[in-house]
Amino acid sequence: MHEPARVEQAVEEPVREDRFPHERVVNFCDAVFAIVITLLAIELRLPGGELIERMGADQAWGQTLGLLVSYLISFFVTGLFWVGHMLTWKHVRRVNGKVVWLALLQLFFVVLMPFATRQVSEHFLVYALVLTGISLFSWLVRRTVVQQEDLRARLGPAQARLLLARGLIPLLVFSSAVPLGLFVPGKWAVLVFVLIFPLSTLARRRILAGGD
């Protein structure tokens, strides 16, 4: 008499895996990005009289200009990662432990951005490694979301490939800057970052032109 109830209970038993509230994970990530992008501006300050007297006006203002350029680059690079974060997480319906830990590993490198920004001129390799770490785990999160959310079926194969390609291009560009930074001054090596935009446009055209 009670057999159907037991069968129904067995069918409705949840899958044994960690589940997390989507909103809390997204809000936490957004908060980290917001704090990091704010901290980037902490190093910005006009040269004081003591610095000018010690270094000379030209060198002191040159250092300030270098910090400003580093800030602008890091601001837009961090913004690029945040946009990619939103493009990925808008498709997430199930947040499990794998996605959470990959996101945390991405944030591990994101919070190093203020530190890495101070190293652009003298230690560009550090900057490039931090950007490579962010883009690596950003792409791993995206690949995991495409698989577990079955985005090839939900969005179509072309849109799913485009989503993966848009995450892979920054990884390729930033990782290529690592060996480049060993031979080229940082102020010139950062120019390779510009390749992200034409490569992304080219990938979009080729993938969408190919269709499903």
Side-chain angles (χ1 to χ4, degrees):
M1 180 176 179
H2 298 289
E3 186 66 24
R6 289 198 297 270
V7 172
E8 182 179 356
Q9 183 179 4
V11 172
E12 293 180 355
E13 184 178 352
V15 178
R16 293 183 178 275
E17 67 174 355
D18 293 331
R19 299 292 179 90
F20 300 88
H22 181 280
E23 295 79 9
R24 294 193 63 181
V25 177
V26 172
N27 291 340
F28 177 78
C29 293
D30 285 344
V32 172
F33 273 102
I35 292 171
V36 167
I37 214 166
T38 302
L39 291 176
L40 290 175
I42 286 182
E43 293 296 319
L44 296 179
R45 59 176 63 90
L46 296 177
E50 181 182 349
L51 183 64
I52 292 176
E53 183 178 352
R54 178 165 52 86
M55 301 181 61
D58 291 342
Q59 190 173 355
W61 281 101
Q63 184 183 69
T64 300
L65 180 61
L67 289 173
L68 178 60
V69 171
S70 300
Y71 162 75
L72 290 173
I73 293 172
S74 293
F75 179 90
F76 287 107
V77 168
T78 306
L80 179 70
F81 283 122
W82 181 58
V83 170
H85 168 80
M86 290 190 293
L87 287 174
T88 301
W89 281 84
K90 72 177 183 179
H91 299 296
V92 177
R93 296 184 298 192
R94 177 167 56 91
V95 184
N96 56 25
K98 181 179 180 180
V99 175
V100 167
W101 281 104
L102 287 174
L104 280 174
L105 288 170
Q106 179 190 2
L107 295 179
F108 171 84
F109 288 96
V110 170
V111 298
L112 292 175
M113 279 298 292
F115 164 76
T117 300
R118 295 194 295 270
Q119 316 302 319
V120 174
S121 298
E122 298 181 2
H123 305 286
F124 177 79
L125 181 61
V126 174
Y127 191 67
L129 287 172
V130 169
L131 295 181
T132 300
I134 299 173
S135 53
L136 171 62
F137 287 103
S138 175
W139 183 76
L140 289 175
V141 170
R142 186 168 296 193
R143 186 184 68 171
T144 301
V145 169
V146 168
Q147 293 173 348
Q148 76 174 28
E149 300 293 342
D150 196 15
L151 295 189
R152 289 179 176 83
R154 285 170 52 189
L155 304 179
Q159 288 294 338
R161 286 198 303 271
L162 179 59
L163 188 64
L164 288 172
R166 292 178 68 176
L168 184 60
I169 288 171
L171 174 58
L172 295 176
V173 171
F174 291 135
S175 60
S176 69
V178 173
L180 187 64
L182 296 175
F183 307 102
V184 181
K187 63 181 180 179
W188 300 115
V190 295
L191 295 177
V192 73
F193 297 168
V194 179
L195 291 175
I196 291 175
F197 301 103
L199 289 176
S200 297
T201 301
L202 179 62
R204 179 181 181 85
R205 289 177 178 174
R206 291 183 64 110
I207 291 174
L208 296 183
D212 294 342

